[in-house]
Amino acid sequence: MQMNPFYQRAHFLTAATRLDQTPADSGREVAFAGRSNAGKSSAINTLCHQKSLARTSKTPGRTQQIIFFELDAERRLVDLPGYGYAKVSEAIKLQWQQHLANYLEYRRSLAGLVIVMDIRHPLTEFDRRMLDWGRRGERSILLLLTKADKLKRGAAQATRLAVEREVANDDGRVAVRLFSALERQGVETVQGLLDRWLEVPDPNLVDSAADSVTGIGSSRS
Ligand SMILES: Nc1nc2c(ncn2[C@@H]2O[C@H](COP(=O)(O)OP(=O)(O)OP(=O)(O)O)[C@@H](O)[C@H]2O)c(=O)[nH]1
Ligand SMILES: [Mg+2]
């Protein structure tokens, strides 16, 4: 599978603290949720082949708003605030959870949800709650086991299998993949899933469509 240059064009669109500050709810978007410090922002950067598109940090709680990155007029990636960050007050934690819940429940353009989990601590209580929310909204879900570089290959695969077994579903709406921002593992596979959720135009089809317009290429089948 080839790397899709589409994601490279991602750029900051806006940051929202409340639902009424979010961009127009049209087109399609994929949001990255997960525990604080799990590696959400790093995963977005890696997938978009950019070093500092989304701000990352060694200190948990870096991303405190809903951050929207635009791919094109119809497509966005969304970096959600991490949950479970201990150093903020209970009141703020509850407020974030409410924003998250509202976003997940009412955002119609949300086509898919990526739940980012540190492979060493998969499926925490809040991850499972996110999974339930996502499932309820009939969205595609990816459980992304990141920091896979922290485990040996065999152990990483075993964790993936264990998580897959736990979330086994009949409709195939929940996928489980290994990922590492550090080693760029899983980038093409995850892009392939995002391509489908976001309905990213296949660059080859776009080319051949352009060719058929100019009468050079063979027609699309
Ligand atoms: N070894 C390794 N470290 C990673 C990987 N992905 C992220 N990290 C590190 O984990 C820390 C947190 O990464 P972030 O991407 O900022 O995490 P986040 O989920 O966006 O965190 P919040 O915004 O605080 O919720 C940083 O120190 C990253 O360098 C990975 O694949 N491998
Ligand atoms: Mg972040």
Side-chain angles (χ1 to χ4, degrees), residues 146-195:
T146 192
K147 309 195 189 182
D149 55 273
K150 296 277 191 186
L151 295 185
K152 293 215 171 81
R153 213 175 254 262
Q157 283 298 352
T159 305
R160 175 182 164 178
L161 285 175
V163 170
E164 263 173 357
R165 226 173 288 130
E166 265 211 62
V167 302
N169 56 329
D170 338 315
D171 53 5
R173 257 196 311 126
V174 183
V176 183
R177 295 287 183 277
L178 296 176
F179 194 83
S180 165
L182 197 73
E183 296 180 344
R184 308 187 52 78
Q185 179 188 353
V187 174
E188 287 81 6
T189 318
V190 174
Q191 283 181 345
L193 284 170
L194 297 187
D195 284 353

Side-chain angles (χ1 to χ4, degrees), residues 35-42 56-58 60-63 82 146-147 149-150 180-182:
R35 240 171 78 155
S36 205
N37 212 44
K40 299 173 291 297
S41 301
S42 302
T56 64
S57 167
K58 283 200 175 73
R62 172 73 256 184
T63 313
T146 192
K147 309 195 189 182
D149 55 273
K150 296 277 191 186
S180 165
L182 197 73

